[in-house]
Amino acid sequence: MKKYLVFDIGGSSVKHAIITEKGEFIEKGSYKSERHNFDIFINKMLEVSRKAKEEHNISGVAVSAPGSVDSEEGTIGGSSALPCIHGPNFKKIFKEELGLTLEIENDANSAALGEVWLGGAKDNNDVAFVVCGTGIGGAIIKDRKIHKGTHMHGGEFGYMILESIKTEEGVEFKTWSDIGSTGGLLRTVAKRKGLSSEELDGKKIFELAEQGDEICKEEINNFYFNVAKGLFNIQYIYDPEKILIGGAISSREDFIDKINENMDLLMKTMTHAKVRPVIEKCQYGNDANLLGALFHYLQR
């Protein structure tokens, strides 16, 4: 059975694993991310890869990375918490240094592909994938493959405008990331309470709400309503079979129930809308990016 080395490049750490072509994990590891010096960054990746090649006879290398990833070229555009990774050609380096084929994909897209391969969308062809965290990210799956769009912005749902407010200076727009993410919830509650964002976190806000804090209760309700609005819009833009939603907050037991309660309100009000979004949690957490990066490799 073929084995592959898979990297998941993150802002604080780089995870790596040896995974079989069937998605079975053989071993895992991680090390601290280097942010600014690309030579240090790539030499660590090559060191891990040489060891994997020697010990496991790997057939190739798959990578999940932040930023605007050009999978054809093997480069990473845009920006991320790791400035040094933007620009160099990973495919070329690995082919020249190790004689190994490397395939690379964006991290949100990789997480979506992990769900398509072995998770919540393994029986589906067309799925929207949403990550709710500091902002809103996501991916569009069409025929079990990533749809990146002309400018590689497919799935950037966080830019969706959900509200507009006229002011003396003009118009203020609120995006889905502004008012439908856990980061947005945190900022809104902190502002209403006259606190800095550092004095609160998502867990604390839900704890305060359970203790009867009216501001937290009100903003949590607004948060769920805004999540539902965004998902409703995605359904009628793309019409997927289902929408999978992930992020740390999705681990809450009542998360999907609360979204569906607000979706009930939308569907009752929007009487001309006949298709109700099917909303489910992602099945994979920390392993989704690794699995999806390998699935991307196998697809190519």
Side-chain angles (χ1 to χ4, degrees), residues 31-45:
Y31 56 87
K32 185 177 179 180
S33 299
E34 165 58 38
R35 299 185 64 230
H36 299 290
N37 189 315
F38 183 71
D39 287 339
I40 294 174
F41 183 92
I42 198 65
N43 284 335
K44 184 62 179 178
M45 285 186 74

Side-chain angles (χ1 to χ4, degrees), residues 76-88:
I76 304 172
S79 62
S80 72
L82 303 173
C84 74
I85 68 175
H86 298 273

